Short mmCIF file of all heavy atoms in Angstrom, two decimals:
data_model
loop_
_atom_site.label_atom_id
_atom_site.label_comp_id
_atom_site.label_asym_id
_atom_site.label_seq_id
_atom_site.Cartn_x
_atom_site.Cartn_y
_atom_site.Cartn_z
N ARG A 369 44.75 -39.26 -16.62
CA ARG A 369 43.70 -38.83 -17.50
C ARG A 369 43.80 -37.34 -17.82
O ARG A 369 42.88 -36.60 -17.93
CB ARG A 369 42.33 -39.20 -16.94
CG ARG A 369 41.69 -38.28 -16.04
CD ARG A 369 40.27 -38.69 -15.77
NE ARG A 369 39.69 -37.66 -14.99
CZ ARG A 369 39.32 -36.51 -15.45
NH1 ARG A 369 39.39 -36.22 -16.70
NH2 ARG A 369 38.79 -35.57 -14.66
N ASP A 370 45.02 -36.89 -18.02
CA ASP A 370 45.28 -35.48 -18.27
C ASP A 370 45.34 -35.30 -19.80
O ASP A 370 46.40 -35.30 -20.39
CB ASP A 370 46.59 -35.12 -17.62
CG ASP A 370 46.78 -33.66 -17.46
OD1 ASP A 370 45.81 -32.91 -17.78
OD2 ASP A 370 47.83 -33.22 -17.06
N THR A 371 44.20 -35.20 -20.44
CA THR A 371 44.14 -35.17 -21.88
C THR A 371 42.89 -34.54 -22.38
O THR A 371 42.04 -34.13 -21.61
CB THR A 371 44.21 -36.63 -22.39
OG1 THR A 371 44.23 -36.60 -23.81
CG2 THR A 371 43.01 -37.44 -21.98
N GLY A 372 42.75 -34.47 -23.70
CA GLY A 372 41.48 -34.09 -24.24
C GLY A 372 41.59 -32.85 -25.11
O GLY A 372 42.64 -32.23 -25.19
N GLY A 373 40.51 -32.49 -25.67
CA GLY A 373 40.37 -31.27 -26.45
C GLY A 373 39.02 -30.66 -26.11
O GLY A 373 38.24 -31.29 -25.49
N GLY A 374 38.82 -29.45 -26.46
CA GLY A 374 37.57 -28.79 -26.03
C GLY A 374 36.48 -28.87 -27.05
O GLY A 374 36.72 -28.56 -28.22
N SER A 375 35.30 -29.24 -26.63
CA SER A 375 34.16 -29.26 -27.57
C SER A 375 33.62 -27.85 -27.78
O SER A 375 33.08 -27.57 -28.81
CB SER A 375 33.07 -30.20 -27.06
OG SER A 375 32.55 -29.72 -25.85
N ASN A 376 33.79 -27.00 -26.77
CA ASN A 376 33.34 -25.65 -26.91
C ASN A 376 34.51 -24.70 -27.15
O ASN A 376 34.48 -23.91 -28.08
CB ASN A 376 32.60 -25.20 -25.64
CG ASN A 376 31.36 -26.02 -25.43
OD1 ASN A 376 30.71 -26.41 -26.40
ND2 ASN A 376 31.03 -26.33 -24.19
N ASP A 377 35.54 -24.80 -26.37
CA ASP A 377 36.76 -24.05 -26.57
C ASP A 377 37.86 -24.66 -25.71
O ASP A 377 37.61 -25.45 -24.87
CB ASP A 377 36.56 -22.57 -26.22
CG ASP A 377 36.15 -22.35 -24.80
OD1 ASP A 377 36.54 -23.13 -23.90
OD2 ASP A 377 35.43 -21.36 -24.54
N ARG A 378 39.08 -24.25 -25.94
CA ARG A 378 40.22 -24.80 -25.20
C ARG A 378 40.13 -24.38 -23.75
O ARG A 378 40.71 -25.07 -22.89
CB ARG A 378 41.52 -24.35 -25.84
CG ARG A 378 41.72 -25.05 -27.15
CD ARG A 378 43.18 -24.90 -27.57
NE ARG A 378 43.34 -25.50 -28.87
CZ ARG A 378 43.73 -26.75 -29.05
NH1 ARG A 378 43.93 -27.53 -28.03
NH2 ARG A 378 43.87 -27.21 -30.24
N GLY A 379 39.49 -23.29 -23.40
CA GLY A 379 39.38 -22.89 -21.99
C GLY A 379 38.70 -23.93 -21.15
O GLY A 379 39.01 -24.07 -19.97
N SER A 380 37.77 -24.64 -21.72
CA SER A 380 37.10 -25.70 -20.93
C SER A 380 38.07 -26.77 -20.49
O SER A 380 37.87 -27.43 -19.50
CB SER A 380 35.95 -26.31 -21.71
OG SER A 380 36.44 -26.97 -22.83
N LEU A 381 39.14 -26.99 -21.25
CA LEU A 381 40.11 -28.02 -20.92
C LEU A 381 40.91 -27.59 -19.72
O LEU A 381 41.31 -28.45 -18.92
CB LEU A 381 41.07 -28.21 -22.08
CG LEU A 381 40.40 -28.60 -23.35
CD1 LEU A 381 41.40 -28.65 -24.49
CD2 LEU A 381 39.76 -29.93 -23.19
#
Side-chain angles (χ1 to χ4, degrees):
R369 87 171 187 77
D370 198 5
T371 184
S375 63
N376 297 324
D377 61 31
R378 289 195 184 267
S380 65
L381 302 174

